Amino acid sequence: MQIVKLGTMRHRSRELLTIYIAFVFLAPGIPGQLPGSWELLVPNAGIASMHTAVTYQGTVILLDRTDVGVSKIELANGVCRDNPEDKILTHDCTAHSVLYDPATNTIRPLTIFTDTWCSSGAFVTNGTMMQTGGDLDGIRKIRYFVPCPTDGTCDWVEATDQALQADRWYSTNQLLPDGRVIVVGGRNEFTVEFVPAAPGENKIWMPFLKETTNMEMDNLYPYVHLLPDGNLFIFANRDSILYDYKENAVLRKYPTIPGGPRNYPSAGSSVLLPLTADTGFSTAEVLICGGAQYGAFLNPPAQLPASDTCGRMTVTDTSPVWNMETMPFPRNMGDMILLPSRDVLIINGAQAGSQGFGLAWFPCFNPLLYQPKVIQGLRFMVLSPTTVARMYHSTANLLPDGRILLAGSNSHYFYTFDGDFPTELRLEAFSPEYLSPDLASLRPTIIGTPVFLFHNLDFTVTITSPSPLTDIVELNLISAPFTTHSYAQGQRLLQLSVLNPVPLGDNSYSITGSAPPNGNVAPAGYYMLFAVNQGVPSIAVWVQVRS
Ligand SMILES: *[C@@H]1O[C@H](CO)[C@@H](O)[C@H](O)[C@H]1NC(C)=O
């Protein structure tokens, strides 16, 4: 009886699938003619990355849970982990984190022992990854990864003299202007805390997190954006607040977003749209796209179609409203990545179900480009499809060369390499159209830049261009986020104020830019600096923004 019922559901959903595919592939054109291109980078990264972050050394940290069983990569030097509490493997000699080097296309196993399942992270001011929480023995852990040059031996260090003040599973981290990190929420944890905590400073109760939970716990992995006025925009489920973390004060409540829930497990995503010197960095807009219907997590056999809406709100306005837009097709678990061209890439995910093991169907193979500056109605562009399903526990990260690195996808509790949506170990790259050879004549090359950009001070970048410049060249800074569960924690893009390029001869130019005014706009730390000519970016140079 049960099996028949499931079979019927599955059959019905295949029809749905056909409709979706027909729409996706027919509406925008024939695959292959769509903008963008795909490449397989690594056939076997050893792990399915649940959390991914690009370091200022150019390497990429890939990180999974530690209790998934045997991964496909051994730890180095005969190191093993013995954990009598492990669910499946009490003696484990395989790695659950690796370092990927895009320059050499190689993978190096890293050593991490406590459980990082659904943990969070942020790069701090000196470029070190501070990674927090997880499950079981990792639920209060604080871990550090100090990036090293690509031939180095840097590895995780799990702090033994420092711990979180609460159990944090599914929380969100944001680097603050004072160099500390705020860690927001977590499962059944309606508090925030600062790392490192000041002496005597305790975790802080946040009623908003309690108010936004429900049967599905749709308030997990809250969206946290540091606004240029120094307050935090915090969004959970369908609601959001402006939070003054210094005074522990909720300064305002924003309107409820139309549509279903947007956070874990309902799997939308969010970005702070590029902050620009054009408005004196005073205007901030938030974009939230996709998600699941309420009930998709609780009633998986229904395979409920995902949300096809995005909400955009100017959160610095006095009476802000959600301006709703409709995507060409529904998506949950879409990663939203800020591109150096100041567009937003929406990539990965599925068209029905929710986050969770085995709870999603109909992968979204086509990325979408969202162009914030284009008039409403024409902002979405459907891009060239991949063939690799990236659903639960998959990631997307911008690389300094402008490509997007795709990793992971594991819809299973343990690594499972057969059946529907097997554990995905392949790394791919998506090249947006701005990397197309047709546009090579516009692509600038940065040949000189300062190592440090000091808040509010001018600096000069030297570039070369294959053809004479006809326009202003943008200087855009992009932070490297900690990407997990379809949300890039700590992601921000700053479009700096620039002067006209000054020709130096031989298609070389110097460009004077102004560094971000303060730490609310750009917390001190490492950023990718892109020179962008008519939407075509250079390869980025890492610079450290300093106070
Ligand atoms: C960077 O900052 C972190 C966090 O404050 C600290 O633990 C680490 O030692 C620092 N690393 C270096 C290389 O200074």
Side-chain angles (χ1 to χ4, degrees):
M1 196 51 192
Q2 182 75 340
I3 291 165
V4 171
K5 194 174 167 211
L6 276 172
T8 315
M9 288 298 181
R10 212 158 273 164
H11 180 71
R12 197 177 301 152
S13 60
R14 289 242 164 77
E15 288 171 12
L16 252 174
L17 173 65
T18 317
I19 294 164
Y20 285 144
I21 286 185
F23 187 73
V24 171
F25 287 173
L26 296 181
I30 303 159
Q33 295 182 342
L34 296 173
S37 63
W38 288 87
E39 64 192 298
L40 175 66
L41 294 177
V42 175
N44 174 14
I47 67 165
S49 196
M50 185 187 301
H51 325 85
T52 304
V54 179
T55 78
Y56 75 92
Q57 296 281 6
T59 53
V60 186
I61 302 168
L62 308 182
L63 177 62
D64 196 8
R65 272 164 63 198
T66 51
D67 57 350
V68 284
V70 175
S71 76
K72 295 281 189 190
I73 183 167
E74 299 268 307
L75 284 165
N77 309 320
V79 173
C80 298
R81 176 183 75 136
D82 287 295
N83 181 356
E85 304 292 320
D86 195 290
K87 290 189 180 72
I88 184 171
L89 195 63
T90 53
H91 180 70
D92 186 358
C93 304
T94 64
H96 301 289
S97 179
V98 300
L99 195 67
Y100 170 59
D101 181 2
T104 56
N105 211 37
T106 51
I107 298 278
R108 175 163 73 80
L110 299 177
T111 315
I112 200 157
F113 283 164
T114 64
D115 192 14
T116 46
W117 187 4
C118 298
S119 53
S120 51
F123 286 108
V124 295
T125 299
N126 65 16
T128 292
M129 164 55 59
M130 179 204 282
Q131 207 278 328
T132 55
D135 192 20
L136 303 170
D137 58 352
I139 206 159
R140 291 194 178 205
K141 268 285 169 190
I142 301 174
R143 314 171 186 87
Y144 296 96
F145 183 89
V146 182
C148 53
T150 56
D151 57 353
T153 56
C154 47
D155 208 335
W156 287 106
V157 175
E158 304 196 58
T160 50
D161 56 348
Q162 197 190 13
L164 294 177
Q165 304 194 35
D167 293 354
R168 303 233 179 243
W169 201 23
Y170 304 89
S171 36
T172 298
N173 295 15
Q174 170 67 50
L175 177 64
L176 297 173
D178 68 2
R180 300 200 295 168
V181 169
I182 187 168
V183 188
V184 180
R187 192 153 153 160
N188 291 320
E189 188 54 55
F190 311 120
T191 67
V192 303
E193 68 179 277
F194 301 92
V195 183
E201 186 179 46
N202 296 317
K203 64 178 183 176
I204 298 160
W205 171 247
M206 181 175 270
F208 169 73
L209 293 172
K210 178 109 201 299
E211 288 156 21
T212 48
T213 194
N214 59 13
M215 284 273 288
E216 296 186 327
M217 293 194 254
D218 273 316
N219 69 339
L220 298 180
Y221 279 129
Y223 304 141
V224 178
H225 300 299
L226 173 66
L227 301 187
D229 65 5
N231 296 308
L232 294 170
F233 173 84
I234 303 181
F235 181 103
N237 195 341
R238 298 177 58 208
D239 287 299
S240 46
I241 55 171
L242 184 67
Y243 180 62
D244 176 349
Y245 64 88
K246 290 179 187 148
E247 302 294 335
N248 181 30
V250 175
L251 301 180
R252 67 199 294 187
K253 291 203 171 198
Y254 291 99
T256 301
I257 195 171
R262 305 283 177 166
N263 295 79
Y264 182 93
S266 291
S269 189
S270 173
V271 286
L272 178 64
L273 289 177
L275 299 175
T276 174
D278 293 351
T279 67
F281 295 104
S282 62
T283 302
E285 287 184 273
V286 169
L287 178 71
I288 291 176
C289 289
Q293 289 182 41
Y294 181 79
F297 180 77
L298 299 172
N299 181 20
Q303 300 190 355
L304 295 175
S307 165
D308 65 356
T309 62
C310 296
R312 177 170 166 178
M313 183 164 67
T314 305
V315 296
T316 44
D317 268 4
T318 43
S319 319
V321 289
W322 288 105
N323 181 20
M324 301 306 292
E325 301 179 65
T326 305
M327 297 187 283
F329 38 88
R331 188 183 303 254
N332 60 37
M333 293 181 278
D335 285 273
M336 292 170 71
I337 300 301
L338 295 167
L339 300 179
S341 55
R342 294 187 284 121
D343 293 329
V344 181
L345 184 72
I346 308 175
I347 194 165
N348 296 339
Q351 301 182 58
S354 77
Q355 286 175 318
F357 295 120
L359 301 185
W361 296 268
F362 320 130
C364 265
F365 292 118
N366 290 77
L368 270 186
L369 194 68
Y370 178 84
Q371 303 161 98
K373 294 281 170 222
V374 170
I375 57 162
Q376 188 162 357
L378 297 175
R379 289 183 183 145
F380 293 105
M381 187 188 287
V382 180
L383 305 178
S384 178
T386 178
T387 55
V388 178
R390 305 237 182 227
M391 310 201 303
Y392 193 42
H393 290 160
S394 65
T395 61
N397 293 73
L398 176 69
L399 295 173
D401 63 14
R403 293 178 302 168
I404 309 299
L405 177 71
L406 294 314
S409 192
N410 187 13
S411 296
H412 307 275
Y413 201 96
F414 299 117
Y415 279 16
T416 305
F417 296 103
D418 50 21
D420 282 349
F421 310 126
T423 302
E424 184 56 65
L425 303 180
R426 285 174 284 182
L427 301 184
E428 283 173 294
F430 176 71
S431 293
E433 197 183 18
Y434 58 51
L435 293 175
S436 130
D438 299 349
L439 297 171
S441 66
L442 295 177
R443 182 161 304 118
T445 304
I446 296 178
I447 54 172
T449 170
V451 178
F452 306 121
L453 304 189
F454 291 93
H455 281 144
N456 213 23
L457 289 187
D458 288 354
F459 63 97
T460 300
V461 170
T462 318
I463 65 163
T464 60
S465 166
S467 53
L469 296 177
T470 56
D471 207 343
I472 205 145
V473 170
E474 294 175 13
L475 295 178
N476 296 339
L477 290 177
I478 308 186
S479 63
F482 180 89
T483 302
T484 189
H485 291 75
S486 75
Y487 174 57
Q489 305 184 1
Q491 179 175 230
R492 62 206 292 113
L493 188 161
L494 313 156
Q495 182 193 8
L496 304 181
S497 140
V498 292
L499 298 180
N500 283 324
V502 176
L504 303 173
D506 284 343
N507 286 342
S508 299
Y509 298 84
S510 81
I511 302 166
T512 298
S514 296
N518 56 50
N520 296 332
V521 172
Y526 283 88
Y527 291 78
M528 292 176 263
L529 173 66
F530 289 93
V532 185
N533 180 21
Q534 298 173 56
V536 178
S538 67
I539 291 175
V541 172
W542 291 92
V543 293
Q544 195 187 27
V545 172
R546 293 192 162 186
S547 303

